[in-house]
Amino acid sequence: MSKIISMREYVRDKVSIMPTPPASETGEPYINDSQVWSKDYSKLESVVFGVLKIREVLNYYLYYEDVWAYLLLNLLDAAAHATPEDHSELAEAAAHVRNYMVQAVDAGNRKNMQAALLILDLIEKAPGFRAQVLGLPQEKAAD
């Protein structure tokens, strides 16, 4: 049996003026110290975990922008191709994400954004630290 509704109701239900955050996110992102410090970010699965945590924070606070998704994909790609001997592409991708995140920090999101920045730093520094522990040659210092 068909149902007749007004066009105004249909448009009001289907079209929203402002995008809303995804319904799956019920509250503020939660990042505790054990989640951050218990991972070995030189391994890809830990990098994926870190990128997903950063994504969770950015999705909660910056859901209306789409630039960060591209930056995170670049970070994940650079992390997948990084080696302990050469991780300059990873450092560059992390710098782009960091610059974007620092511009978005305000008083309301400072705590979670700082935690996401910490995870980003750990992802960036892990291959070099691993190379140092293994005794591999480090990148030459810029002259």
Side-chain angles (χ1 to χ4, degrees), residues 40 42 84-85 87 125-138:
D40 178 11
S42 62
E85 299 86 18
H87 54 275
K125 306 290 188 224
F129 178 74
R130 182 136 177 121
Q132 190 177 28
V133 169
L134 295 175
L136 298 172
Q138 292 291 306

Side-chain angles (χ1 to χ4, degrees), residues 22-119:
S24 63
E25 298 294 325
T26 56
E28 215 172 311
Y30 177 71
I31 302 173
N32 63 15
D33 290 342
S34 65
Q35 287 179 329
V36 174
W37 295 108
S38 65
K39 304 291 182 191
D40 178 11
Y41 292 100
S42 62
K43 296 180 181 175
L44 189 59
E45 58 268 8
S46 296
V47 171
V48 171
F49 168 81
V51 169
L52 288 176
K53 276 298 181 182
I54 294 170
R55 179 195 168 275
E56 183 180 341
V57 171
L58 293 178
N59 194 34
Y60 183 78
Y61 293 110
L62 305 173
Y63 61 89
Y64 50 86
E65 296 181 20
D66 59 350
V67 175
W68 56 266
Y70 173 75
L71 295 174
L72 288 180
L73 283 175
N74 282 343
L75 176 70
L76 196 56
D77 183 53
H81 294 100
T83 62
E85 299 86 18
D86 180 32
H87 54 275
S88 58
E89 187 178 335
L90 176 61
E92 183 180 342
H96 289 301
V97 175
R98 183 180 305 103
N99 290 339
Y100 182 79
M101 289 174 65
V102 166
Q103 292 176 358
V105 173
D106 61 14
N109 65 10
R110 187 186 67 204
K111 182 179 177 185
N112 285 328
M113 290 293 247
Q114 286 177 344
L117 284 168
L118 173 65
I119 293 171

